Amino acid sequence: MTTSSSKDFELDVADYVEEAFERCGLEVRTGYDLKTARRSLNILFADWANRGLNRWTISQSTLSLANGVSEYPLGTLTLPVASSSGFSVGEIITGSSSSATATITSLASSTSLAITIPSGTFTSSETITGGTSSNTSTSSGVVSFADVISSIDILSAVIRQNDGISTQADTSITRVSRDTFLSISNKRTTSTPSQFYVDRQIIPVIKLWPTPNSSSLKLVFDRLTRIQDADADVNTVDVPFRFYPCLTAGLAYYIAMKKTPDRVKL
C-alpha cells in the first residue's frame, strides 16, 4: 500500500470558514458570510490569547537596560533619527515641535534610539534634543508601537551580565503582583534587578526593582505574543497543524451562536 509521503496539508481562511459553516449545516453564500466569519476567527484568537493557548507564538526578546531607568516597554520601541551618534544612554530626549519626551535605553543602531514609552507623540522631521548631551538630530519617522502592543505576557525573565563573552551569566528574577510591587517602600533603590512586575496596559510595560545601576545589564525574557490576524481569505492561518481541529471547531461554535443558535447551549 502506497502512502502519499506528503505532510503539507494546510487550510487557508476560506477553507476554515467553509468547513465551519458546513458543521453548522450551512453554506457560505455571501460576502458578508465571509466577513462575519473572519471577525469571529479573530475574536477566537483573542480568546485563545487570554487562555494562554498559543504557545507557538512565544519568542525570546532582549532589552538593554539603562542606569537609573526602571520601566521598559514590553518589546522593541525605537525612534528613527538621522543619526544616533552623540546621544547618551539614560538621558531624556525632547521633540522640538511635539514637546514629546522619552528616555534613551540604548543606541539601537546608527539611525535609531531605543526608548521608553514616550510622554506625548514624536513627529517626523522634528529636532530631537538630548537633555544631558545637548546633542541634536532629526527624527526620520514616527515611533511604531506594533511590536509592544502585540505582547500578551511574560513567562520568565533573567538579568544577563557580560553579554557575549565567556563570563556571561544569567540570573533569574522573580515576578511579583501589582500589590507586592506597590508595597515596595523605596522604588528608587538601585542595584541589579531581582523582581519585575508586568503592567498589562494597552501598551504593556515591565517594571524592575531594584532600579538598574548599570547600562551593561540586559533583560532577557520569554514573551507570549498575539496570533497574526486572519485577514485575506487566501491567507493561511498562524496556527500549527495540531490546532487545525481546535480552530475549526471553535469557529463553527462562534458561527452557530450567530447563525444557528438552536445548535448550541448559550
Side-chain angles (χ1 to χ4, degrees), residues 90-110:
E91 73 173 331
I92 297 175
I93 55 174
T94 304
S96 59
S97 58
S98 66
S99 297
T101 60
T103 301
I104 299 175
T105 57
S106 71
L107 305 182
S109 72
S110 61

Side-chain angles (χ1 to χ4, degrees), residues 2-3 7 9 40 50 56 112 155 172 182 208:
T2 304
T3 60
K7 298 179 181 180
F9 174 72
S40 292
N50 285 326
W56 61 91
S112 64
L155 306 181
S172 296
L182 181 62
L208 302 174

Side-chain angles (χ1 to χ4, degrees), residues 12-14 17 34-35 37-39 41-42 45 226-238:
D12 59 27
V13 171
V17 172
L34 287 169
K35 179 180 179 180
R38 284 197 305 270
R39 182 171 64 242
L41 192 53
N42 285 314
F45 289 161
R226 283 180 55 170
I227 302 172
Q228 295 177 30
D229 296 339
D231 289 335
D233 297 329
V234 297
N235 290 155
T236 54
V237 182
D238 182 29

Side-chain angles (χ1 to χ4, degrees), residues 111 152 254:
T111 56
I152 298 171
Y254 276 32

Side-chain angles (χ1 to χ4, degrees), residues 137-210:
S137 186
T138 303
S139 59
S140 54
V142 296
V143 177
S144 172
F145 293 90
D147 183 67
V148 179
I149 291 175
S150 72
S151 298
I152 298 171
D153 203 358
I154 286 183
L155 306 181
S156 57
V158 298
I159 295 295
R160 177 166 294 171
Q161 302 180 62
N162 305 323
D163 184 41
I165 61 177
S166 60
T167 55
Q168 175 178 302
D170 291 346
T171 304
S172 296
I173 55 176
T174 303
R175 182 171 185 161
V176 298
S177 67
R178 180 186 293 270
D179 290 344
T180 300
F181 189 83
L182 181 62
S183 66
I184 295 174
S185 60
N186 186 358
K187 296 181 178 62
R188 294 183 180 273
T189 299
T190 60
S191 184
T192 301
S194 59
Q195 297 180 341
F196 72 94
Y197 160 61
V198 180
D199 194 1
R200 298 175 66 184
Q201 301 296 316
I202 293 177
I203 303 176
V205 299
I206 181 169
K207 300 181 179 182
L208 302 174
W209 187 86

Side-chain angles (χ1 to χ4, degrees), residues 3-45:
T3 60
S4 67
S5 298
S6 66
K7 298 179 181 180
D8 57 358
F9 174 72
E10 193 171 36
L11 301 173
D12 59 27
V13 171
D15 290 329
Y16 282 112
V17 172
E18 184 177 23
E19 177 67 19
F21 265 76
E22 288 174 352
R23 293 190 182 196
C24 295
L26 304 170
E27 292 183 2
V28 179
R29 294 187 178 276
T30 67
Y32 182 75
D33 285 340
L34 287 169
K35 179 180 179 180
T36 189
R38 284 197 305 270
R39 182 171 64 242
S40 292
L41 192 53
N42 285 314
I43 293 172
L44 177 64
F45 289 161

